[in-house]
Coordinates of all heavy atoms in Angstrom, one line a residue:
M4 N 13.4 -146.1 62.8 CA 13.4 -146.5 64.2 C 12.6 -145.6 65.0 O 12.6 -144.4 64.9 CB 14.9 -146.5 64.6 CG 15.0 -146.8 66.1 SD 14.4 -148.5 66.6 CE 15.3 -149.5 65.4
C5 N 11.9 -146.2 65.9 CA 10.9 -145.5 66.7 C 11.6 -144.8 67.9 O 11.8 -145.5 68.9 CB 9.8 -146.4 67.2 SG 8.5 -146.3 66.1
A6 N 11.9 -143.6 67.8 CA 12.5 -142.9 68.9 C 11.6 -142.7 70.1 O 12.0 -142.6 71.2 CB 13.0 -141.5 68.5
Q7 N 10.3 -142.7 69.8 CA 9.4 -142.4 70.9 C 9.2 -143.6 71.8 O 8.7 -143.4 72.9 CB 8.0 -142.1 70.3 CG 7.9 -140.8 69.5 CD 8.1 -141.1 68.1 OE1 8.9 -141.9 67.7 NE2 7.3 -140.4 67.3
T8 N 9.5 -144.8 71.3 CA 9.3 -145.9 72.2 C 10.5 -146.3 72.9 O 11.6 -145.7 72.8 CB 8.8 -147.1 71.3 OG1 9.6 -147.3 70.2 CG2 7.3 -146.9 70.9
D9 N 10.5 -147.4 73.6 CA 11.6 -147.9 74.4 C 12.7 -148.4 73.5 O 12.6 -149.4 72.8 CB 11.0 -149.0 75.2 CG 12.0 -149.5 76.2 OD1 13.2 -149.0 76.2 OD2 11.7 -150.4 77.0
P10 N 13.8 -147.7 73.6 CA 15.0 -148.1 72.7 C 15.5 -149.5 73.1 O 16.0 -150.2 72.3 CB 16.1 -147.1 73.0 CG 15.6 -146.3 74.2 CD 14.1 -146.5 74.3
E11 N 15.3 -149.9 74.3 CA 15.7 -151.2 74.8 C 14.9 -152.3 74.1 O 15.4 -153.4 73.9 CB 15.7 -151.3 76.3 CG 16.9 -150.8 76.9 CD 16.8 -150.9 78.4 OE1 16.3 -151.8 79.0 OE2 17.3 -149.9 79.1
A12 N 13.7 -152.0 73.8 CA 12.9 -153.0 73.1 C 13.3 -153.1 71.6 O 13.2 -154.2 71.1 CB 11.4 -152.6 73.2
F13 N 13.8 -152.0 71.1 CA 14.1 -152.1 69.7 C 15.6 -152.5 69.4 O 15.9 -152.9 68.3 CB 13.9 -150.7 69.0 CG 12.4 -150.5 68.7 CD1 11.6 -149.9 69.6 CD2 11.9 -150.8 67.5 CE1 10.2 -149.8 69.4 CE2 10.6 -150.7 67.2 CZ 9.7 -150.1 68.1
F14 N 16.4 -152.4 70.5 CA 17.7 -152.9 70.4 C 18.0 -153.9 71.5 O 18.7 -153.6 72.4 CB 18.7 -151.7 70.5 CG 18.7 -150.8 69.3 CD1 18.0 -149.6 69.3 CD2 19.4 -151.1 68.1 CE1 18.0 -148.7 68.2 CE2 19.3 -150.3 67.0 CZ 18.6 -149.1 67.1
P15 N 17.4 -155.0 71.4 CA 17.5 -156.0 72.4 C 18.9 -156.6 72.5 O 19.6 -156.6 71.6 CB 16.5 -157.1 72.1 CG 16.4 -156.9 70.6 CD 16.6 -155.5 70.2
E16 N 19.3 -157.0 73.7 CA 20.5 -157.7 73.9 C 20.5 -158.9 73.0 O 19.4 -159.4 72.6 CB 20.6 -158.1 75.3 CG 20.5 -157.0 76.3 CD 21.9 -156.5 76.7 OE1 22.8 -157.3 76.9 OE2 22.1 -155.3 76.6
K17 N 21.7 -159.4 72.7 CA 21.7 -160.7 71.9 C 20.9 -161.7 72.6 O 21.0 -162.0 73.8 CB 23.2 -161.1 71.9 CG 23.7 -161.2 70.5 CD 24.9 -162.1 70.4 CE 25.2 -162.4 68.9 NZ 25.7 -161.3 68.2
G18 N 20.0 -162.3 71.9 CA 19.1 -163.3 72.4 C 17.9 -162.8 73.2 O 17.1 -163.5 73.6
G19 N 17.9 -161.4 73.3 CA 16.7 -160.8 74.0 C 15.5 -160.9 73.2 O 15.5 -161.2 72.0
S20 N 14.4 -160.5 73.8 CA 13.1 -160.6 73.1 C 12.9 -159.5 72.2 O 13.2 -158.3 72.5 CB 12.0 -160.7 74.2 OG 10.7 -160.6 73.5
T21 N 12.3 -159.7 71.0 CA 12.0 -158.7 70.1 C 10.5 -158.5 70.0 O 10.0 -157.8 69.2 CB 12.5 -159.0 68.7 OG1 12.0 -160.3 68.3 CG2 14.0 -159.1 68.7
R22 N 9.8 -159.2 70.9 CA 8.4 -159.2 70.8 C 7.8 -157.8 71.0 O 6.8 -157.4 70.3 CB 7.8 -160.2 71.8 CG 6.6 -160.9 71.2 CD 6.0 -161.9 72.2 NE 7.1 -162.8 72.7 CZ 7.1 -163.4 73.9 NH1 6.1 -163.1 74.7 NH2 8.0 -164.1 74.3
E23 N 8.3 -157.1 72.0 CA 7.7 -155.8 72.3 C 7.8 -154.8 71.1 O 6.9 -154.2 70.8 CB 8.4 -155.2 73.6 CG 7.9 -155.8 74.9 CD 6.4 -155.8 75.0 OE1 5.8 -154.7 74.8 OE2 5.8 -156.9 75.2
A24 N 9.0 -154.8 70.6 CA 9.2 -153.9 69.4 C 8.3 -154.3 68.3 O 7.7 -153.4 67.6 CB 10.7 -153.9 69.0
K25 N 8.2 -155.6 68.0 CA 7.4 -156.0 66.9 C 6.0 -155.7 67.1 O 5.3 -155.4 66.1 CB 7.6 -157.5 66.7 CG 8.9 -157.9 66.1 CD 9.1 -159.4 66.0 CE 10.4 -159.7 65.4 NZ 10.7 -161.2 65.5
K26 N 5.6 -155.7 68.3 CA 4.2 -155.3 68.6 C 3.9 -153.9 68.2 O 2.9 -153.5 67.7 CB 3.9 -155.5 70.1 CG 2.5 -156.1 70.3 CD 2.3 -156.8 71.6 CE 2.7 -156.0 72.8 NZ 2.7 -156.8 74.1
V27 N 4.9 -153.0 68.5 CA 4.7 -151.6 68.2 C 4.7 -151.5 66.6 O 3.9 -150.7 66.1 CB 5.9 -150.8 68.7 CG1 5.8 -149.3 68.3 CG2 5.9 -150.9 70.3
C28 N 5.6 -152.2 66.0 CA 5.6 -152.1 64.5 C 4.3 -152.6 63.9 O 4.0 -152.1 62.8 CB 6.8 -153.0 64.0 SG 8.4 -152.4 64.5
Q29 N 3.7 -153.5 64.5 CA 2.5 -154.1 63.9 C 1.5 -152.9 63.7 O 0.7 -153.0 62.7 CB 1.8 -155.0 64.9 CG 2.5 -156.4 65.0 CD 2.5 -157.1 63.7 OE1 1.6 -157.1 63.0 NE2 3.7 -157.7 63.5
T30 N 1.4 -152.0 64.5 CA 0.4 -150.9 64.4 C 1.0 -149.6 63.9 O 0.4 -148.6 63.9 CB -0.2 -150.6 65.8 OG1 0.9 -150.2 66.7 CG2 -0.9 -151.9 66.4
C31 N 2.2 -149.7 63.4 CA 2.9 -148.5 62.9 C 2.4 -148.1 61.5 O 2.3 -149.0 60.6 CB 4.4 -148.7 62.9 SG 5.3 -147.3 62.3
E32 N 2.3 -146.8 61.3 CA 1.7 -146.4 60.0 C 2.8 -146.4 58.9 O 2.5 -146.4 57.7 CB 1.2 -145.0 60.2 CG -0.1 -145.0 61.0 CD -0.7 -143.6 61.0 OE1 -0.1 -142.6 60.5 OE2 -1.8 -143.4 61.6
V33 N 4.0 -146.2 59.3 CA 5.1 -146.1 58.3 C 5.9 -147.4 58.2 O 7.0 -147.4 57.8 CB 6.0 -144.9 58.6 CG1 5.2 -143.6 58.6 CG2 6.7 -145.1 60.0
R34 N 5.3 -148.5 58.6 CA 6.0 -149.7 58.7 C 6.7 -150.1 57.4 O 7.8 -150.5 57.3 CB 5.1 -150.9 59.1 CG 5.8 -152.1 59.3 CD 4.9 -153.2 59.9 NE 5.5 -154.5 59.6 CZ 4.9 -155.6 59.8 NH1 3.6 -155.6 60.2 NH2 5.5 -156.8 59.5
A35 N 5.9 -150.0 56.3 CA 6.5 -150.4 55.0 C 7.7 -149.5 54.6 O 8.7 -150.0 54.2 CB 5.4 -150.3 53.9
E36 N 7.6 -148.2 54.8 CA 8.6 -147.3 54.5 C 9.8 -147.6 55.4 O 11.0 -147.5 55.0 CB 8.2 -145.9 54.7 CG 7.3 -145.4 53.6 CD 5.8 -145.7 53.9 OE1 5.5 -146.6 54.7 OE2 4.9 -145.0 53.4
C37 N 9.5 -147.8 56.7 CA 10.6 -148.1 57.6 C 11.4 -149.3 57.2 O 12.6 -149.2 57.2 CB 9.9 -148.3 59.0 SG 11.1 -148.6 60.3
L38 N 10.7 -150.3 56.9 CA 11.4 -151.6 56.5 C 12.2 -151.4 55.3 O 13.4 -151.8 55.2 CB 10.4 -152.7 56.3 CG 10.9 -154.0 55.9 CD1 11.9 -154.6 56.9 CD2 9.8 -155.0 55.6
E39 N 11.7 -150.7 54.3 CA 12.3 -150.4 53.1 C 13.6 -149.6 53.3 O 14.7 -149.9 52.7 CB 11.4 -149.7 52.1 CG 11.8 -149.9 50.7 CD 10.6 -149.4 49.8 OE1 9.5 -149.8 50.0 OE2 10.9 -148.5 49.0
S40 N 13.5 -148.6 54.1 CA 14.7 -147.7 54.3 C 15.7 -148.5 55.1 O 16.9 -148.3 54.9 CB 14.3 -146.4 55.0 OG 14.0 -146.6 56.3
A41 N 15.3 -149.4 55.9 CA 16.3 -150.1 56.7 C 17.0 -151.1 55.8 O 18.3 -151.2 55.9 CB 15.6 -150.9 57.8
L42 N 16.3 -151.6 54.8 CA 17.0 -152.5 53.9 C 17.9 -151.8 53.0 O 19.0 -152.2 52.7 CB 15.9 -153.2 53.0 CG 15.1 -154.3 53.8 CD1 13.9 -154.8 52.9 CD2 15.9 -155.4 54.2
M43 N 17.5 -150.6 52.5 CA 18.3 -149.7 51.7 C 19.6 -149.3 52.4 O 20.6 -149.3 51.8 CB 17.5 -148.5 51.3 CG 16.2 -148.8 50.5 SD 16.4 -148.5 48.7 CE 16.5 -146.8 48.7
N44 N 19.4 -149.0 53.6 CA 20.6 -148.4 54.4 C 21.4 -149.5 55.0 O 22.4 -149.3 55.7 CB 20.1 -147.5 55.5 CG 19.4 -146.3 54.9 OD1 19.8 -145.8 53.8 ND2 18.4 -145.8 55.5
D45 N 20.9 -150.7 54.8 CA 21.7 -151.9 55.3 C 21.9 -151.8 56.8 O 22.9 -151.9 57.4 CB 23.1 -151.9 54.7 CG 23.5 -153.4 54.4 OD1 22.6 -154.2 54.6 OD2 24.7 -153.6 54.1
E46 N 20.8 -151.5 57.5 CA 20.8 -151.4 59.0 C 21.1 -152.7 59.6 O 20.5 -153.7 59.2 CB 19.5 -150.8 59.5 CG 19.1 -149.4 59.0 CD 20.0 -148.4 59.7 OE1 20.7 -148.8 60.7 OE2 19.9 -147.2 59.3
R47 N 22.1 -152.7 60.5 CA 22.5 -154.0 61.0 C 21.8 -154.3 62.4 O 21.7 -155.5 62.7 CB 24.0 -154.0 61.2 CG 24.8 -153.9 60.0 CD 24.9 -155.2 59.3 NE 25.0 -155.0 57.8 CZ 26.0 -155.3 57.1 NH1 27.0 -156.0 57.6 NH2 26.0 -155.1 55.8
F48 N 21.5 -153.3 63.1 CA 21.1 -153.6 64.5 C 19.7 -153.1 64.7 O 19.2 -152.1 64.2 CB 22.0 -152.9 65.5 CG 23.4 -153.4 65.3 CD1 24.4 -152.6 64.7 CD2 23.8 -154.6 65.7 CE1 25.7 -153.0 64.5 CE2 25.1 -155.1 65.6 CZ 26.0 -154.2 65.0
G49 N 19.0 -153.8 65.6 CA 17.7 -153.3 66.0 C 16.5 -153.8 65.2 O 16.7 -154.4 64.1
I50 N 15.4 -153.5 65.6 CA 14.1 -153.9 64.9 C 13.7 -152.8 64.0 O 13.7 -151.6 64.4 CB 13.0 -154.1 65.9 CG1 13.4 -155.1 67.0 CG2 11.7 -154.6 65.2 CD1 13.8 -156.5 66.5
W51 N 13.5 -153.1 62.8 CA 13.0 -152.1 61.8 C 11.8 -152.7 61.1 O 11.9 -153.8 60.5 CB 14.1 -151.8 60.8 CG 15.3 -151.0 61.4 CD1 16.3 -151.6 62.1 CD2 15.5 -149.6 61.3 NE1 17.2 -150.7 62.4 CE2 16.7 -149.4 62.0 CE3 14.8 -148.5 60.8 CZ2 17.3 -148.2 62.2 CZ3 15.4 -147.3 60.9 CH2 16.6 -147.1 61.6
G52 N 10.8 -151.9 61.0 CA 9.6 -152.4 60.2 C 9.1 -153.7 60.7 O 8.5 -154.5 59.9
G53 N 9.3 -154.0 61.9 CA 8.7 -155.2 62.5 C 9.6 -156.4 62.3 O 9.2 -157.6 62.6
L54 N 10.8 -156.2 61.7 CA 11.6 -157.4 61.5 C 13.0 -157.2 62.2 O 13.5 -156.1 62.2 CB 11.9 -157.5 60.0 CG 10.7 -157.9 59.1 CD1 11.2 -158.1 57.7 CD2 10.0 -159.1 59.6
S55 N 13.4 -158.3 62.7 CA 14.7 -158.3 63.4 C 15.8 -158.3 62.3 O 15.5 -158.5 61.1 CB 14.9 -159.5 64.3 OG 14.9 -160.7 63.5
E56 N 17.1 -158.1 62.7 CA 18.1 -158.1 61.7 C 18.2 -159.4 61.0 O 18.5 -159.5 59.8 CB 19.4 -157.7 62.4 CG 19.8 -158.5 63.6 CD 20.8 -157.8 64.5 OE1 22.0 -157.9 64.2 OE2 20.4 -157.0 65.4
R57 N 18.0 -160.5 61.7 CA 18.1 -161.8 61.1 C 17.0 -162.0 60.1 O 17.2 -162.5 59.0 CB 18.0 -162.9 62.1 CG 18.5 -164.2 61.6 CD 18.3 -165.3 62.6 NE 18.8 -165.0 63.9 CZ 18.3 -165.5 65.0 NH1 17.2 -166.2 65.0 NH2 18.8 -165.1 66.2
E58 N 15.8 -161.5 60.4 CA 14.7 -161.6 59.5 C 14.9 -160.8 58.2 O 14.5 -161.2 57.1 CB 13.4 -161.3 60.2 CG 13.0 -162.3 61.2 CD 11.9 -161.8 62.2 OE1 11.8 -160.6 62.4 OE2 11.1 -162.7 62.6
R59 N 15.5 -159.6 58.4 CA 15.7 -158.8 57.3 C 16.8 -159.4 56.3 O 16.7 -159.3 55.1 CB 16.2 -157.4 57.7 CG 15.2 -156.6 58.3 CD 15.6 -155.1 58.3 NE 16.9 -154.9 59.0 CZ 17.0 -154.8 60.3 NH1 16.0 -154.9 61.1 NH2 18.2 -154.6 60.8
R60 N 17.7 -160.1 56.9 CA 18.8 -160.7 56.1 C 18.1 -161.8 55.2 O 18.4 -161.9 54.1 CB 19.8 -161.4 57.1 CG 21.2 -161.4 56.4 CD 22.3 -161.2 57.5 NE 22.0 -162.1 58.6 CZ 22.4 -161.7 59.9 NH1 22.9 -160.6 60.1 NH2 22.2 -162.6 60.9
K61 N 17.2 -162.5 55.9 CA 16.5 -163.6 55.1 C 15.7 -163.0 53.9 O 15.8 -163.5 52.8 CB 15.5 -164.3 56.0 CG 16.0 -165.7 56.5 CD 14.9 -166.5 57.0 CE 14.7 -166.3 58.5 NZ 13.5 -167.0 59.1
L62 N 15.0 -161.9 54.3 CA 14.2 -161.2 53.3 C 15.1 -160.7 52.1 O 14.7 -160.9 50.9 CB 13.5 -160.0 53.9 CG 12.4 -159.4 53.2 CD1 11.2 -160.3 53.2 CD2 12.0 -158.1 53.8
K63 N 16.2 -160.2 52.4 CA 17.1 -159.7 51.4 C 17.6 -160.8 50.5 O 17.6 -160.7 49.3 CB 18.3 -159.1 52.1 CG 18.4 -157.6 51.8 CD 19.7 -157.0 52.3 CE 19.8 -155.6 51.8 NZ 20.9 -154.9 52.4
K64 N 18.0 -161.9 51.1 CA 18.4 -163.1 50.3 C 17.4 -163.5 49.3 O 17.7 -163.8 48.1 CB 18.7 -164.2 51.2 CG 20.2 -164.3 51.5 CD 20.6 -165.7 52.0 CE 21.8 -165.6 53.0 NZ 21.5 -166.4 54.1
R65 N 16.2 -163.5 49.8 CA 15.1 -163.9 48.9 C 14.8 -162.9 47.8 O 14.4 -163.3 46.7 CB 13.8 -164.1 49.8 CG 13.0 -165.3 49.4 CD 11.7 -165.4 50.1 NE 11.9 -165.3 51.6 CZ 11.0 -164.7 52.4 NH1 9.9 -164.2 51.9 NH2 11.2 -164.6 53.7
A66 N 15.1 -161.7 48.1 CA 14.8 -160.6 47.1 C 15.8 -160.6 46.0 O 15.5 -160.2 44.9 CB 14.7 -159.3 47.8
V67 N 17.0 -161.0 46.3 CA 18.1 -161.0 45.3 C 17.8 -162.0 44.2 O 17.4 -163.1 44.5 CB 19.5 -161.2 46.0 CG1 20.5 -161.4 44.9 CG2 19.8 -160.1 46.9
Ligands
LIG127 S1 7.9 -149.9 61.7 FE1 9.7 -148.6 62.1 S2 9.0 -146.6 62.7 FE2 7.3 -148.1 62.9 S3 7.4 -148.8 65.0 FE3 8.6 -150.2 63.8 S4 10.7 -149.5 63.9 FE4 9.3 -147.8 64.6

């Protein structure tokens, strides 16, 4: 999780926009690692590696 950026962008309210956080992730150098660790740790909230929690859930299902 990007502590340097706006936490509100990375932990949007329910139904809030995740676009800002994803934009930051697009250019992030550790995006792959970030996503992987989020999946490993079963992170439930916020944007990780450019994916919202719902998108990560989908990804996980597909990987199983
Ligand atoms: S990929 Fe992870 S570390 Fe990089 S900007 Fe996104 S949330 Fe932050």
Side-chain angles (χ1 to χ4, degrees):
M4 176 60 55
C5 268
Q7 295 96 317
T8 49
D9 185 359
E11 273 176 40
F13 281 88
F14 291 99
E16 303 266 313
K17 240 197 166 74
S20 174
T21 56
R22 217 179 308 148
E23 283 308 306
K25 286 177 181 172
K26 219 159 51 187
V27 179
C28 295
Q29 287 301 318
T30 58
C31 179
E32 288 184 1
V33 297
R34 183 172 162 195
E36 285 88 339
C37 178
L38 179 59
E39 204 168 304
S40 75
L42 291 173
M43 298 257 291
N44 297 324
D45 217 13
E46 296 289 352
R47 297 278 150 121
F48 303 104
I50 309 296
W51 293 80
L54 294 184
S55 68
E56 50 199 274
R57 199 187 307 148
E58 289 167 330
R59 286 198 308 277
R60 213 148 45 213
K61 255 198 270 175
L62 195 73
K63 247 189 165 170
K64 264 203 210 130
R65 221 185 308 147
V67 173

